[in-house]
Amino acid sequence: MNLPERISPIGRSLLNRRSFLGQTGMSLGGLALSQLLARDNLLASDAADGLGPIRPQIDEKNPYSSRPPHFEMPAKQVLVIYLPGAVSHVDTFDYKPALYDLDGQKPPGIPAVTFEGPTGNIAKPFWDFRPRGETGKMVSDLLPNLAEMVDDFCFVHSLTTQTSAHPQGENFFNTGFTMEGFPSFGAWVTYALGCETEELPAFVAINDPRGLARSGKNNFGSGFLPAAFQGTDFTASNPPANLHRPDRFTPGADQAGVDLLRKLNADHLESFPGDADLAARIASYELAGRMQTSVPEVMDIAGEPKHVHDAYGTETGTELKRAYANNCILARRLLERGVRVVQLFNGSDPAGGNGITNWDSHSDILKTHAMQAEIMDQPTAALIADLKQRGMLEHTLVVWCTEFGRMPFLQANGTGRDHNPDAFTCFLAGAGVKKGFSYGESDEFGFKTASNETTVYDFNATLLHLMGLNHERLTYYHNGLERRLTNVHGHVVKDILA
């Protein structure tokens, strides 16, 4: 049976092959043009409202050169002290008297199961809290050296995150996304601002003496940003490889080879303008050449005065503590020489850890947290105090952070605390932040945020702001989207700004 044709004239025109090809070609051309205009920040709406992306003007031949911030702020460098494994806020900086009253009880509202299984009873802090400094800030005896410096710190007690898992938690805190493949905070900062020194990398990651954290190099990777902005990782005991000239080459022959390579690289780059990967490789090789002379000098930690070694504790305590103390001195020496971002890790997690290689204390928290604190406390406090007495906190932002907190109640095993993404504590110090200040609160148990909830997006937005960067306009066009550290979220926490 033949049915009557029910196609409108417009519909019939769409079935015309010439019309279809013509309209498709025009549409694809328009999409391509909009992509090119967006990439170069030339869309009319962006120019009209002044809210479009701010693209750093990067010299492909010198991608590390210093660039101005979006607006002036005191912080010019940043030290991120990252503690993988989740430090227990209720046993360190977040004092909760109610935990003493309910110790050993299981009041209503406690979930039956958390991340690693059934829950136990409320547990009071495993270390006594005491008032510290002129502000009287309550800090536990677990961290006596950091406790002495609370008048210099700005605490954020109301942090929340999106995940209870360590790999995703590390990713989220350091890159703004739980998935892998996104640029780290340090990569975003160096992409925007470059570096003040040409002799050292703009971004250095100093891994824990025990190895990488759970998410590995993703914590300091460049993701889809140009490769030049990934962190260069080395430690006080493991310098970058291949720094020394082989004995069979004379200094003159070595320099002649470097000069020839520089000329060949320049010719090659001129033949392929706009190739960011090629430019990054050439810049990386040239930086590596300069590092052959600069890195041995910056690694000369043994040459520091005895009083410095005594303050940091490089000759006391466990071998791990001494190694971490040397890493802390290395961090200060890198900042002194103009490195823009230094990320210092205290804790690793190549295969789980459970309180031994990091702060992840699911069992025997009294022993495992104490072990980690013995490694971290004195060297970290000495590092911050050293920066202060050298006047470096005037232009350096210090960030002490971990991926989430721990529960106010024990796990069913009765000796450890499970992961807590709904309330945890980090602190800032130095350029641009208030001193002796606490922002936000968790509830009476330290279980959930009670006031001024601060998401990781908010925290990262504030860090970028302190570096003079607008987190909404610092973007990179990737796979059809304007990507940024804070995704489409985040607000600057203005109450903590000095």
Side-chain angles (χ1 to χ4, degrees):
M1 181 174 63
N2 294 326
L3 296 175
E5 186 179 273
R6 295 183 179 178
I7 302 176
S8 68
I10 295 176
R12 190 177 294 110
S13 70
L14 293 175
L15 297 178
N16 181 283
R17 184 165 52 189
R18 291 184 178 178
S19 298
F20 173 78
L21 291 174
Q23 292 176 6
T24 301
M26 291 294 291
S27 299
L28 291 176
L31 289 172
L33 177 60
S34 66
Q35 281 193 338
L36 292 172
L37 291 172
R39 184 192 66 187
D40 295 328
N41 196 24
L42 294 174
L43 286 175
S45 60
D46 292 342
D49 58 24
L51 298 177
I54 299 177
R55 310 281 189 210
Q57 298 301 309
I58 298 173
D59 180 358
E60 293 179 348
K61 297 180 181 179
N62 188 13
Y64 310 110
S65 60
S66 181
R67 294 179 280 278
H70 300 166
F71 44 85
E72 286 300 320
M73 290 292 286
K76 308 303 179 187
Q77 296 171 281
V78 60
L79 167 65
V80 179
I81 304 167
Y82 188 77
L83 292 80
V87 179
S88 174
H89 56 298
V90 295
D91 291 296
T92 51
F93 298 118
D94 198 4
Y95 176 56
K96 297 299 170 186
L99 296 182
Y100 293 90
D101 299 332
L102 294 172
D103 183 49
Q105 303 178 42
K106 196 167 186 177
I110 291 181
V113 177
T114 52
F115 182 77
E116 282 220 345
T119 59
N121 297 329
I122 289 284
K124 67 181 181 181
F126 284 84
W127 294 267
D128 290 334
F129 276 72
R130 307 178 197 279
R132 317 284 181 158
E134 294 183 5
T135 58
K137 176 72 176 178
M138 297 293 286
V139 179
S140 86
D141 290 341
L142 178 63
L143 304 174
N145 293 282
L146 285 172
E148 293 179 1
M149 303 188 65
V150 294
D151 291 343
D152 291 307
F153 298 161
C154 178
F155 291 94
V156 181
H157 289 303
S158 52
L159 278 159
T160 63
T161 186
Q162 288 188 348
T163 176
S164 295
H166 291 295
Q168 291 84 352
E170 290 179 11
N171 285 340
F172 189 52
F173 205 99
N174 289 306
T175 74
F177 293 83
T178 56
M179 300 171 289
E180 295 192 354
F182 290 85
S184 62
F185 167 78
W188 279 111
V189 171
T190 50
Y191 162 69
L193 299 177
C195 189
E196 297 293 339
T197 177
E198 295 183 356
E199 307 303 317
L200 291 165
F203 175 20
V204 174
I206 306 176
N207 287 308
D208 186 87
R210 293 161 286 191
L212 292 168
R214 181 77 66 92
S215 288
K217 295 190 175 185
N218 198 61
N219 287 317
F220 49 88
S222 58
F224 45 72
L225 290 178
F229 304 111
Q230 64 186 321
T232 300
D233 61 315
F234 56 92
T235 70
S237 59
N238 290 295
N242 305 315
L243 288 177
H244 302 291
R245 183 180 66 253
D247 293 337
R248 65 181 182 274
F249 292 107
T250 66
D254 189 34
Q255 186 60 49
V258 170
D259 292 341
L260 175 60
L261 184 60
R262 182 180 296 111
K263 181 181 184 306
L264 293 174
N265 281 338
D267 292 344
H268 195 45
L269 184 61
E270 196 171 311
S271 301
F272 298 94
D275 188 333
D277 289 338
L278 173 61
R281 284 199 302 273
I282 292 173
S284 178
Y285 292 149
E286 291 181 345
L287 174 61
R290 295 191 295 272
M291 286 168 60
Q292 288 182 329
T293 57
S294 63
V295 168
E297 187 275 331
V298 80
M299 299 284 291
D300 184 21
I301 292 169
E304 289 280 337
K306 184 179 184 303
H307 72 269
V308 171
H309 285 279
D310 290 344
Y312 282 79
T314 62
E315 298 174 356
T316 60
T318 64
E319 181 180 351
L320 283 172
K321 185 249 186 155
R322 297 194 298 270
Y324 174 70
N326 281 323
N327 281 351
C328 287
I329 295 178
L330 175 61
R332 189 215 76 213
R333 291 173 68 88
L334 290 166
L335 290 167
E336 276 185 310
R337 287 154 180 79
V339 173
R340 180 76 70 181
V341 180
V342 176
Q343 188 172 18
L344 174 66
F345 289 84
N346 174 249
S348 68
D349 203 351
N354 196 21
I356 303 302
T357 63
N358 60 33
W359 292 82
D360 191 21
S361 297
H362 289 284
S363 60
D364 204 354
I365 189 172
L366 184 63
K367 175 183 176 181
T368 54
H369 256 43
M371 183 179 74
Q372 304 309 325
E374 193 274 337
I375 297 169
M376 186 277 297
D377 183 42
Q378 180 187 354
T380 303
L383 170 57
I384 299 172
D386 203 1
L387 294 175
K388 179 181 178 182
Q389 68 92 16
R390 293 169 188 265
M392 295 175 64
L393 287 186
E394 299 299 319
H395 58 81
T396 303
L397 172 68
V398 177
V399 185
W400 185 98
C401 53
T402 190
E403 61 261 32
F404 36 74
R406 306 203 81 83
M407 292 296 184
F409 41 82
L410 298 177
Q411 296 181 221
N413 61 24
T415 62
R417 299 188 191 272
D418 207 348
H419 304 171
N420 185 358
D422 295 321
F424 65 109
T425 294
C426 297
F427 71 76
L428 308 175
V433 297
K434 292 178 178 177
K435 297 179 180 180
F437 185 73
S438 293
Y439 177 80
E441 292 180 308
S442 60
D443 62 23
E444 60 178 334
F445 310 119
F447 183 31
K448 293 181 180 294
T449 293
S451 68
N452 295 322
E453 179 180 352
T454 306
T455 67
V456 171
Y457 296 122
D458 299 330
F459 193 73
N460 282 330
T462 306
L463 298 186
L464 290 179
H465 180 85
L466 287 163
M467 296 298 294
L469 300 171
N470 184 327
H471 76 103
E472 294 181 336
R473 302 185 67 186
L474 177 60
T475 69
Y476 189 85
Y477 191 73
H478 176 68
N479 282 351
L481 294 172
E482 289 288 349
R483 289 292 193 183
R484 69 189 212 211
L485 175 65
T486 53
N487 198 359
V488 294
H489 310 284
H491 299 88
V492 175
V493 183
K494 295 183 179 179
D495 287 346
I496 70 174
L497 305 181

